[in-house]
Amino acid sequence: QVQLVESGGGLVQAGGSLRLSCAASGSIFSINAMGWYRQAPGKQRDLVADISRGGTTNYVASVKGRFTISRDNAKNTVYLQMNSLKPEDTGVYYCKAKIVTRAGAWVDYWGQGTQVTVSS
């Protein structure tokens, strides 16, 4: 069994910052790509940023220069530093990890989501 636990969401004014964390635990052999997704009210869940095990990053255009994704492989944790937040960044943020379990299976796991609300 694998769990992803997110933390760090909250309410912030436009221009402010938040840092999200997502820690994976359980029957893990290794973790490949990790990423953050956002689901705004009434919309689909979309990729915000992802990072390979080796540290290669990818960002959606709307957050480039404002958000930074990073990971600590020793802690099985991925972070999302969000600066210069805008009201349109509001949504539920989910982390996803492509995990190789101790049983040898490749499985995508999702966190439970953390709410980020940016007021204008």
Side-chain angles (χ1 to χ4, degrees), residues 10 13 23 32-33 38 56 94:
Q13 288 189 331
N32 197 346
R38 174 173 66 207
T56 300
Y94 297 88

Side-chain angles (χ1 to χ4, degrees), residues 22 33-37 47 49-51 69 78 94-97 110:
C22 173
M34 303 183 83
W36 288 95
Y37 290 70
L47 176 69
D50 60 19
I51 183 168
I69 189 170
V78 63
Y94 297 88
C95 71
K96 187 177 89 168
W110 290 88

Side-chain angles (χ1 to χ4, degrees), residues 62-68 81-86 89:
S62 62
V63 307
K64 281 184 179 178
R66 300 188 297 122
F67 291 11
T68 302
Q81 177 67 44
M82 304 186 294
N83 299 328
S84 303
L85 282 160
K86 304 176 180 180
D89 294 319

Side-chain angles (χ1 to χ4, degrees):
Q1 191 76 350
V2 174
Q3 282 188 317
L4 270 61
V5 178
E6 298 148 349
S7 60
L11 173 64
V12 65
Q13 288 189 331
S17 298
L18 286 173
R19 189 187 192 217
L20 306 183
S21 299
C22 173
S25 63
S27 183
I28 298 170
F29 177 73
S30 67
I31 303 178
N32 197 346
M34 303 183 83
W36 288 95
Y37 290 70
R38 174 173 66 207
Q39 187 164 20
K43 297 192 175 182
Q44 66 181 22
R45 191 179 300 183
D46 291 323
L47 176 69
V48 174
D50 60 19
I51 183 168
S52 71
R53 181 170 180 81
T56 300
T57 59
N58 172 56
Y59 298 92
V60 66
S62 62
V63 307
K64 281 184 179 178
R66 300 188 297 122
F67 291 11
T68 302
I69 189 170
S70 61
R71 64 189 286 172
D72 184 334
N73 290 333
K75 296 181 179 180
N76 289 339
T77 300
V78 63
Y79 306 96
L80 186 67
Q81 177 67 44
M82 304 186 294
N83 299 328
S84 303
L85 282 160
K86 304 176 180 180
E88 51 264 42
D89 294 319
T90 293
V92 179
Y93 283 69
Y94 297 88
C95 71
K96 187 177 89 168
K98 184 174 289 294
I99 290 175
V100 181
T101 69
R102 294 189 187 280
W106 288 70
V107 182
D108 285 338
Y109 286 91
W110 290 88
Q112 81 284 359
T114 185
Q115 177 70 45
V116 171
T117 303
V118 184
S119 63
S120 57

